[in-house]
Amino acid sequence: MKYLLLINTVAPDSTEEQPADGPTVEEFMAFDKAICDAGVKLDGNALDTSNATSVHVRVNGERIVTDGPFAETREIVGGYLLIDVPDLDAALDWAARCPGSKYGNVEVRTVWEHHQS
């Protein structure tokens, strides 16, 4: 099954205290190597946390475009990994090993695969 691991970190402009000791680039590189060596990584990238655009379409069809990665939270999605593992337990194990889980959280989502017949 495919799972998306969304790596959430404290927003740089948050009033919440930033972790003093990480995560480091080296920790993420080691984790990336482990997940690649295990053959479960399908895709993954860090995301530009300083630049985003949101689109909302109102009921009347009016399109509202807002600049910035703004959400009603102190955390932002800093990156993602798409993995293919046997089950949720395996996905949770990989999420727990991700350095982002020590300094923020990693949200695990099942990827819904629509199969046309």
Side-chain angles (χ1 to χ4, degrees), residues 3-92:
Y3 294 90
L4 185 66
L5 308 183
L6 296 169
I7 303 165
N8 298 299
T9 61
V10 176
D13 59 350
S14 172
T15 57
E16 187 174 323
E17 185 176 336
Q18 300 287 334
D21 58 348
T24 66
V25 171
E26 292 78 18
E27 286 177 292
F28 275 106
M29 302 257 314
F31 177 71
D32 190 64
K33 181 176 179 349
I35 205 165
C36 287
D37 288 351
V40 299
K41 180 180 175 185
L42 299 176
D43 192 19
N45 285 293
L47 299 174
D48 180 352
T49 59
S50 66
N51 183 3
T53 305
S54 298
V55 176
H56 173 74
V57 178
R58 292 186 174 161
V59 175
N60 66 2
E62 178 185 6
R63 183 172 74 172
I64 307 297
V65 178
T66 307
D67 290 334
F70 304 116
E72 298 300 319
T73 180
R74 292 181 305 252
E75 293 181 334
I76 55 173
V77 178
Y80 72 93
L81 289 162
L82 179 62
I83 62 173
D84 190 359
V85 293
D87 53 34
L88 178 60
D89 287 336
L92 295 174

